[in-house]
Amino acid sequence: QVQLQESGPGLVKPSQTLSLTCTVSGGSISSGGYYWSWIRQHPGKGLEWIGYIYYSGSTYYNPSLKSRVTISVDTSKNQFSLKLRSVTAADTAVYYCAAYELAEYFQHWGQGTLVTVSS
Amino acid sequence: SSELTQDPAVSVALGQTVRITCQGDSLRSYYASWYQQKPGQAPVLVIYGKNNRPSGIPDRFSGSSSGKTASLTITGAQAEDEADYYCNSRDSSGVVFGGGTKLTVL
């Protein structure tokens, strides 16, 4: 059973870069079949897809965030990461990493981590 | 990108059947998947593909689709089914989620 766990700072200052890492256990990130994804949820709001990466390094981003987002993968550590640049208070949200199986459905989710953007 | 539209709130009497719908152009080309989210928890996949349930999801949950509308049906709703439900599909820009439906079990 694939399990995911987010890690990273819970507080980021405005204009800085939000950086999160997702550690995958119970399976190899290189095994194929999954697109490793980031999703966020603003407080009291719905889910917003940020982007995903395949183990080969191919990426796909939400057009509304594309200019500020980079997702990378480290197969040696079985991890993938999110960087969101130039953050504002509007980026305050719970950030989830998830495994997007066959590019059709999010089969496995991390527990989520709250990131607050504030000075 | 395209959008997926859901009713913000739906209620159902305990033991009755409820249908939660999701509309969007992407659903003409791609299946919807459905997620249940309870307060303070991560979403949980309940339906994917044509009408598939992951292991552990009760068979009272089912999915269907017609044209640009996908539906999640709970047959014999239980108190523990009270939650937010989100639909999702692929689209031309990547991935899209519906705005969510808050299900209240009366």
Side-chain angles (χ1 to χ4, degrees):
Chain A
Q1 174 80 342
V2 172
Q3 294 184 313
L4 302 96
Q5 177 68 58
E6 306 89 351
S7 59
L11 180 65
V12 181
K13 294 186 186 317
S15 80
Q16 294 192 342
T17 296
L18 179 160
S19 297
L20 295 174
T21 295
C22 183
T23 300
V24 179
S25 59
S28 171
I29 206 168
S30 303
S31 62
Y34 292 112
Y35 291 76
W36 304 101
S37 307
W38 289 99
I39 295 159
R40 70 180 181 180
Q41 186 170 34
H42 295 103
K45 302 298 184 182
L47 301 168
E48 179 181 28
W49 172 68
I50 298 171
Y52 58 65
I53 188 166
Y54 198 54
Y55 76 94
S56 61
S58 299
T59 54
Y60 215 93
Y61 300 132
N62 185 325
S64 68
L65 296 169
K66 185 176 183 177
S67 64
R68 297 194 292 132
V69 172
T70 301
I71 297 175
S72 59
V73 65
D74 186 337
T75 55
S76 67
K77 294 182 179 179
N78 229 31
Q79 296 177 334
F80 62 105
S81 299
L82 169 71
K83 290 189 185 298
L84 180 64
R85 296 175 291 278
S86 304
V87 298
T88 69
D91 294 308
T92 293
V94 173
Y95 287 76
Y96 295 99
C97 58
Y100 191 40
E101 186 161 347
L102 303 176
E104 291 187 359
Y105 49 91
F106 295 96
Q107 174 72 283
H108 307 289
W109 295 70
Q111 65 185 24
T113 186
L114 173 63
V115 178
T116 301
V117 179
S118 175
S119 56
Chain B
S1 66
S2 60
E3 295 181 347
L4 294 177
T5 302
Q6 298 182 241
D7 291 329
V10 171
S11 62
V12 61
L14 184 67
Q16 295 304 299
T17 296
V18 62
R19 177 175 292 179
I20 298 170
T21 61
C22 173
Q23 291 190 317
D25 289 336
S26 63
L27 300 180
R28 294 188 186 278
S29 303
Y30 303 108
Y31 286 120
S33 52
W34 290 91
Y35 306 85
Q36 177 192 70
Q37 186 180 35
K38 297 182 179 180
Q41 298 182 18
V44 172
L45 177 69
V46 294
I47 290 290
Y48 66 96
K50 191 172 183 180
N51 180 20
N52 301 298
R53 283 176 290 105
S55 174
I57 300 301
D59 61 5
R60 63 178 178 271
F61 289 88
S62 63
S64 61
S65 183
S66 178
K68 60 183 285 187
T69 301
S71 300
L72 172 70
T73 300
I74 307 174
T75 304
Q78 301 300 302
E80 61 264 32
D81 299 334
E82 186 163 291
D84 294 328
Y85 290 85
Y86 294 91
C87 60
N88 138 257
S89 79
R90 293 171 64 178
D91 80 342
S92 58
S93 299
V95 174
V96 62
F97 283 96
T101 297
K102 181 176 183 59
L103 176 66
T104 300
V105 180
L106 304 172

